[in-house]
Amino acid sequence: MTLIDALSELIPVVANNPFHAQRLGEYMDALEVAKLLLIQRFNQDELSDLSRSVPDLYLRHKEWTPPMEHDSAGNWCEPTWFSDLESKLQPVLDAAQVLRMVGFY
């Protein structure tokens, strides 16, 4: 999946998530830059800058755990909103990481 495709799928999910809607502009800016770079010629520095401009919504450190809530049986589980968001966010982060690989494109 390309970064443009992944961002296009992520943006509506972020826009509808009250916890992260304030970060929407960063993803929309990255999408516009990605589209612009496809129209004009680009170099590795521009791809690396684009890659670094794509934020992760969570500070994932070694002790990070996803948000959890109790289900109807009282067990801890990831909330549906988080699973939906994460399924769209990971392809964006993966595509952004690929842009940092010199010569991959």
Side-chain angles (χ1 to χ4, degrees):
M1 179 175 284
T2 68
L3 180 60
I4 291 173
D5 295 336
L7 282 167
S8 296
E9 290 184 12
L10 174 65
I11 286 171
V13 176
V14 172
N16 291 320
N17 185 305
F19 299 113
H20 301 296
Q22 73 276 6
R23 307 288 302 266
L24 182 62
E26 295 172 84
Y27 293 111
M28 293 177 73
D29 291 345
L31 179 60
E32 290 306 312
V33 169
K35 288 178 179 179
L36 183 64
L37 290 178
L38 280 180
I39 294 169
Q40 63 188 22
R41 297 181 72 168
F42 54 85
N43 60 40
Q44 185 62 51
D45 288 338
E46 291 169 322
L47 293 178
S48 294
D49 289 345
L50 173 58
S51 175
R52 285 190 298 277
S53 75
V54 176
D56 189 348
L57 292 173
Y58 304 98
L59 178 60
R60 299 175 197 256
H61 52 82
K62 68 179 186 172
E63 295 176 15
W64 179 81
T65 58
M68 303 295 274
E69 65 184 14
H70 285 101
D71 62 12
S72 59
N75 299 316
W76 287 102
C77 65
E78 291 180 357
T80 304
W81 65 264
F82 176 77
S83 301
D84 294 343
L85 180 64
E86 189 70 5
S87 71
K88 301 298 183 188
L89 179 61
Q90 277 308 312
V92 169
L93 298 176
D94 293 344
Q97 182 64 32
V98 167
L99 295 180
R100 294 183 193 160
M101 294 183 213
V102 176
F104 185 83
Y105 54 93

